[in-house]
Amino acid sequence: MLEVKTPEEVLRLIETEFKPLGRTETVPLAEALGRVLAEDVKAEEYVPDFDRSTVDGYACRAKDTFGCSDAIPAILNLVGEVKMGEGAEMPVPRDACVYVPTGGAIPAPCDCAVMIEFTEDYGDGTIGILKPGAPGMNLIFRGDDVFPGKTVLKAGRVLKAQDIGALAAVGKTEVPVRPRLRVGVISTGDELVPADQKPGPGQVRDVNSPMLAALLRGCGVEAVDFGIVTDDEKLLREKTKAAAESCDAVLLSGGSSAGVKDAACRILGELGELLLHGIAVKPGKPTILANAGNKPLIGLPGHPVAAYFVARLFVLPLLARLEGRTLRNWPVRAVLSESLNANHGRMQLNACRLEETDGRLTATPIRSKSGLITQLAGADAYLVIGRDCEGLPRGAEVDVFWN
Amino acid sequence: MLEVKTPEEVLRLIETEFKPLGRTETVPLAEALGRVLAEDVKAEEYVPDFDRSTVDGYACRAKDTFGCSDAIPAILNLVGEVKMGEGAEMPVPRDACVYVPTGGAIPAPCDCAVMIEFTEDYGDGTIGILKPGAPGMNLIFRGDDVFPGKTVLKAGRVLKAQDIGALAAVGKTEVPVRPRLRVGVISTGDELVPADQKPGPGQVRDVNSPMLAALLRGCGVEAVDFGIVTDDEKLLREKTKAAAESCDAVLLSGGSSAGVKDAACRILGELGELLLHGIAVKPGKPTILANAGNKPLIGLPGHPVAAYFVARLFVLPLLARLEGRTLRNWPVRAVLSESLNANHGRMQLNACRLEETDGRLTATPIRSKSGLITQLAGADAYLVIGRDCEGLPRGAEVDVFWN
């Protein structure tokens, strides 16, 4: 019999027992948002590929302007104009300048750009420079942003909008990413009917399948719905096996009666190596984890709230592990609006609502009997009460996690 | 000429000048994740629709067990078994009990369930109860979770996985949501080429269109790409007009040269009422906002980093306003790993990397010349330095926002 493990032990187990899948596929840039980068992206070119002005003004040699001032301007001959999006191949003799717009290319002999505000156009083909330039002033040099070989993004990064921008900048329009994980979702229980059916006597609607599918989809994972299986061990074995064969992981949920729990445990133990039977967390204790050749088979609690928390706290990091990325989930600080009892000896999770008052965040725990889904509906966040905490008083500062 | 406004003034302007669109469409539950709920959802039934046991054990009348103990068990006649997913219509006489699994229905005359651990099956059709029950013990009553008329979720909620679960629980499989906003994205600039083209002399790839499209899509908004327009006021006017006609909002970006900026300002002012010309934020000052009959027309800075921050800080709240929801963006606390200069008089935004060391989050500002997209690539978060701050020392506690 496996022992109940602490949350920290479970997270360590995930790292030691499962390996990143290491697969790669290529997607167009427009579809890369939220995907996991499979390889480091290195630039192959210079961005920009030319020296650029950061101001509207005049490109010139800085030394031709040294010592100038409002009283004694440097007089430069205007010998040309740089157009946006065109090269700046023109010759620029000594004591000459070229008009350049913001973002325009700088002709090679010039080493600075003087803002138009510090110049005067005399209308006779000469420009007065009222403030001396300095080499490099108001310029972005070729390759300042990116140069060949520079790592733009690292493998494992979940691509955000700004990363899409950076990939566009370096012309990486085909992006190597981790294929989306396929995760099979199975609900078990004689009492369950699909959400679109009216429950008969003793029946309830299946909450876990649509909730877990949504949680997975929200993390970029393809959820494959294997439907509701009645409390029949043979059927459940067949369905679980089929899911394990066609998916990267299987989430088996429901089965609140002791018989079904035992069956789920037997089935997962047959299909893989049982790693875990019970997590010291409330709610969420009756959780099973097996490893079938680097495929996680997970038995979640039947209670929707417990299933939700176990999926968030343990299944999402497990899937992140398979994708070779780190999951970031940092708390925000809030003040507890009412006291909260804790269950000494088990880490406790509590959904809460957050409200801003005078720039401070107040967390109000949502209280309900265990297992009621409305504890989660409309919840903004959840808070974690440590195993050794005996309760928190009103006004305590707590860490809350958005959910 | 409109004055430069502070970020707070801009956010207030958004609330006062734009109204929620108030449109509604219906989507299947499986597609409702991330959508904005258009109406309060009230339950029409009881969940559960029957009294349920939360344990495996025996349902009975509590008073038949009063006074019992390990030494003197209450002896009850076992008169039946409740099956999962079936009704519990059986009669239960006085001094009798019924086996009930976790989640099973409780027969009407019973008012508690005794955990199997506190019972003994004598094998002769009687069960010994070793611990007295109490009315309501180990029961979830009909409607404990939800009852007709109870508000399950409020309009304006961005639906999360747990909300999908709650909607499934109450059988709401067709969900009234706000239609996805359509936002037109236009890039301007003679120097711009699409990301899949190699820039010629003086040219750079268009970063803003793909980056802004990704930012919008990440928020559930449909981004409509109107491509790159050269610095031609007539063309730009036509394209902006077409975008405004077919979209709920228009994002015009690029145009780093003074001429294009002026043209963008004229065009937005012709198509709508100019509300804003400049925000006191660094980067991001050259931002224009016009209102064309509750359609925001936004001129973003050409620099990708500035465009990114303005889009995040002002465009996303503006779109949230049109959708009738509140945007939540709470910071996390981090310790600054190096000192940071600030630009007194303007709110300043700085991308940073976050690292966890000993349970503390360290923020390292990413330093680069203004406007380089690689400042954002791989950034974990950004920090906001207030207008009146003259700089932050190494080791200062700062609020950072994930980006």
Side-chain angles (χ1 to χ4, degrees):
Chain A
M1 187 64 187
L2 292 162
E3 275 174 25
V4 168
K5 289 195 161 52
T6 65
E8 298 76 24
E9 287 171 335
V10 175
L11 292 174
R12 271 199 299 274
L13 197 69
I14 286 169
E15 294 302 306
T16 54
E17 298 290 330
F18 294 93
K19 282 177 218 43
L21 296 181
R23 299 176 307 205
T24 301
E25 69 178 17
T26 301
V27 296
L29 185 60
E31 291 166 25
L33 181 74
R35 301 298 296 269
V36 181
L37 196 61
E39 301 164 8
D40 288 358
V41 172
K42 286 182 201 294
E44 291 169 12
E45 339 173 331
Y46 292 92
V47 178
D49 198 23
F50 52 94
D51 296 346
R52 264 189 119 173
S53 175
T54 62
V55 296
D56 288 322
Y58 295 93
C60 60
R61 289 174 181 77
K63 63 179 166 188
D64 291 346
T65 68
F66 288 168
C68 77
S69 67
D70 283 348
I72 312 167
I75 312 292
L76 303 182
N77 295 307
L78 181 60
V79 296
E81 177 183 355
V82 174
K83 294 250 168 50
M84 285 303 281
E86 294 183 6
E89 304 299 302
M90 65 267 286
V92 185
R94 287 295 310 263
D95 291 319
C97 67
V98 166
Y99 175 79
V100 61
T102 303
I106 297 283
C110 302
D111 61 1
C112 75
V114 179
M115 284 176 82
I116 202 156
E117 289 85 336
F118 302 122
T119 66
E120 200 169 336
D121 187 343
Y122 297 125
D124 63 352
T126 64
I127 301 290
I129 306 290
L130 311 178
K131 222 178 154 177
M137 190 178 75
N138 297 326
L139 297 194
I140 288 175
F141 290 106
R142 179 178 192 235
D144 253 356
D145 204 345
V146 169
F147 47 85
K150 178 174 171 175
T151 300
V152 177
L153 288 166
K154 288 195 180 147
R157 170 88 174 168
V158 179
L159 296 171
K160 299 179 180 185
Q162 64 268 35
D163 305 320
I164 301 298
L167 292 169
V170 301
K172 191 85 181 172
T173 52
E174 297 288 318
V175 189
V177 296
R178 298 288 172 215
R180 283 189 195 285
L181 293 177
R182 277 170 60 85
V183 176
V185 177
I186 305 172
S187 278
T188 63
D190 282 341
E191 77 278 26
L192 299 180
V193 298
D196 58 0
Q197 275 180 33
K198 194 162 168 56
Q203 295 181 328
V204 292
R205 293 195 183 87
D206 175 24
V207 167
N208 286 354
S209 284
M211 179 182 70
L212 294 170
L215 190 67
L216 294 171
R217 283 181 192 131
C219 297
V221 169
E222 186 189 346
V224 186
D225 184 5
F226 283 84
I228 298 167
V229 183
T230 54
D231 292 349
D232 175 314
E233 189 161 341
K234 188 162 165 287
L235 268 180
L236 186 58
R237 179 178 290 107
E238 280 168 18
K239 196 70 105 173
T240 309
K241 208 166 164 227
E245 275 162 12
S246 63
C247 295
D248 299 309
V250 181
L251 289 186
L252 190 65
S253 92
S256 51
S257 68
V260 186
K261 275 181 203 155
D262 294 345
C265 196
R266 273 192 297 274
I267 291 166
L268 298 194
E270 281 166 30
L271 296 176
E273 182 200 353
L274 268 189
L275 299 174
L276 173 71
H277 195 168
I279 307 179
V281 58
K282 183 191 173 191
K285 186 162 176 265
T287 297
I288 313 167
L289 173 61
N291 183 351
N294 206 37
K295 272 187 194 181
L297 310 178
I298 305 143
L300 292 176
H303 282 309
V305 176
Y308 172 81
F309 279 124
V310 171
R312 267 202 80 96
L313 269 74
F314 305 105
V315 175
L316 298 188
L318 179 45
L319 299 179
R321 174 70 180 155
L322 295 183
E323 290 182 308
R325 65 187 167 95
T326 309
L327 203 65
R328 303 265 211 161
N329 192 19
W330 274 90
V332 296
R333 299 293 282 171
V335 174
L336 208 54
S337 70
E338 22 183 283
S339 67
L340 194 59
N341 291 328
N343 197 33
H344 198 56
R346 273 209 272 168
M347 188 174 100
Q348 181 177 319
L349 300 159
N350 216 105
C352 59
R353 288 188 218 290
L354 295 179
E355 246 175 317
E356 192 195 343
T357 16
D358 305 327
R360 275 162 71 101
L361 212 50
T362 305
T364 304
I366 302 173
R367 295 166 191 280
S368 74
K369 288 190 191 176
S370 151
L372 303 188
I373 180 65
T374 46
Q375 194 199 333
L376 287 181
D380 297 310
Y382 63 93
L383 54 87
V384 178
I385 303 177
R387 178 177 50 217
D388 297 325
C389 176
E390 296 186 10
L392 292 165
R394 180 168 181 271
E397 274 231 323
V398 287
D399 280 339
V400 300
F401 297 85
W402 293 104
N403 65 354
Chain B
M1 188 66 186
L2 292 161
E3 276 173 26
V4 168
K5 289 194 162 53
T6 65
E8 298 74 25
E9 285 171 337
V10 175
L11 293 174
R12 271 199 300 275
L13 197 69
I14 286 169
E15 295 301 307
T16 53
E17 297 292 327
F18 295 93
K19 282 175 216 47
L21 296 181
R23 300 175 307 205
T24 301
E25 68 178 16
T26 302
V27 295
L29 184 60
E31 292 165 25
L33 182 73
R35 302 297 298 268
V36 181
L37 196 60
E39 301 164 9
D40 287 359
V41 172
K42 286 182 200 292
E44 290 168 11
E45 338 172 329
Y46 293 91
V47 179
D49 198 23
F50 52 94
D51 296 347
R52 265 188 117 173
S53 175
T54 62
V55 296
D56 288 322
Y58 295 93
C60 60
R61 288 176 182 77
K63 63 181 168 187
D64 291 346
T65 69
F66 289 169
C68 76
S69 67
D70 283 349
I72 313 166
I75 312 291
L76 303 182
N77 296 307
L78 180 60
V79 297
E81 178 183 351
V82 173
K83 293 250 169 47
M84 284 303 280
E86 295 182 7
E89 304 299 301
M90 65 267 286
V92 184
R94 287 296 310 263
D95 291 318
C97 67
V98 166
Y99 175 78
V100 61
T102 304
I106 296 284
C110 301
D111 61 2
C112 76
V114 179
M115 284 176 83
I116 202 156
E117 289 84 338
F118 301 123
T119 66
E120 199 169 335
D121 186 344
Y122 297 124
D124 63 350
T126 65
I127 301 290
I129 306 290
L130 311 178
K131 222 177 151 177
M137 190 178 76
N138 297 328
L139 298 194
I140 289 175
F141 290 107
R142 179 180 191 233
D144 253 355
D145 204 344
V146 169
F147 47 84
K150 179 176 170 171
T151 300
V152 177
L153 288 165
K154 287 194 181 149
R157 170 89 175 168
V158 180
L159 295 171
K160 300 179 178 183
Q162 64 268 35
D163 305 321
I164 302 297
L167 292 169
V170 301
K172 191 84 182 175
T173 51
E174 296 289 318
V175 189
V177 296
R178 298 288 172 213
R180 282 189 197 286
L181 293 178
R182 276 169 61 85
V183 175
V185 177
I186 304 171
S187 277
T188 63
D190 282 341
E191 76 278 26
L192 299 179
V193 298
D196 58 1
Q197 275 180 34
K198 192 159 169 59
Q203 296 182 326
V204 293
R205 293 195 183 87
D206 175 25
V207 166
N208 286 354
S209 284
M211 178 182 71
L212 294 170
L215 190 67
L216 294 171
R217 284 182 191 129
C219 298
V221 169
E222 187 191 343
V224 185
D225 184 5
F226 283 85
I228 298 167
V229 183
T230 54
D231 292 351
D232 174 315
E233 189 163 340
K234 189 162 165 286
L235 268 181
L236 187 58
R237 179 177 290 109
E238 280 166 19
K239 196 71 105 174
T240 309
K241 208 166 164 228
E245 275 162 12
S246 63
C247 295
D248 299 310
V250 181
L251 289 186
L252 190 65
S253 92
S256 51
S257 67
V260 186
K261 273 181 204 157
D262 294 346
C265 197
R266 272 192 298 274
I267 291 166
L268 299 193
E270 280 166 29
L271 296 176
E273 182 200 352
L274 268 189
L275 299 174
L276 173 71
H277 195 168
I279 307 179
V281 59
K282 185 192 172 191
K285 185 162 175 263
T287 297
I288 312 166
L289 173 62
N291 183 350
N294 205 38
K295 272 187 194 180
L297 310 178
I298 305 143
L300 293 176
H303 282 311
V305 176
Y308 171 81
F309 279 124
V310 171
R312 267 202 79 97
L313 269 72
F314 305 105
V315 175
L316 297 188
L318 179 45
L319 299 179
R321 174 70 180 157
L322 295 183
E323 290 182 307
R325 64 187 168 94
T326 309
L327 203 65
R328 302 265 210 163
N329 192 19
W330 273 91
V332 297
R333 298 294 280 173
V335 174
L336 209 54
S337 70
E338 21 184 283
S339 67
L340 194 59
N341 291 328
N343 197 33
H344 198 57
R346 273 210 272 169
M347 188 175 101
Q348 181 177 319
L349 300 159
N350 216 105
C352 58
R353 290 190 216 288
L354 295 180
E355 246 176 318
E356 193 194 343
T357 15
D358 305 326
R360 273 161 72 100
L361 212 50
T362 306
T364 304
I366 301 173
R367 294 166 193 281
S368 75
K369 287 191 191 175
S370 151
L372 303 188
I373 181 64
T374 47
Q375 195 200 333
L376 288 181
D380 297 311
Y382 62 95
L383 54 86
V384 178
I385 304 177
R387 180 177 47 219
D388 298 326
C389 176
E390 296 186 9
L392 292 165
R394 179 168 182 271
E397 274 231 321
V398 287
D399 281 337
V400 300
F401 296 85
W402 294 103
N403 65 355

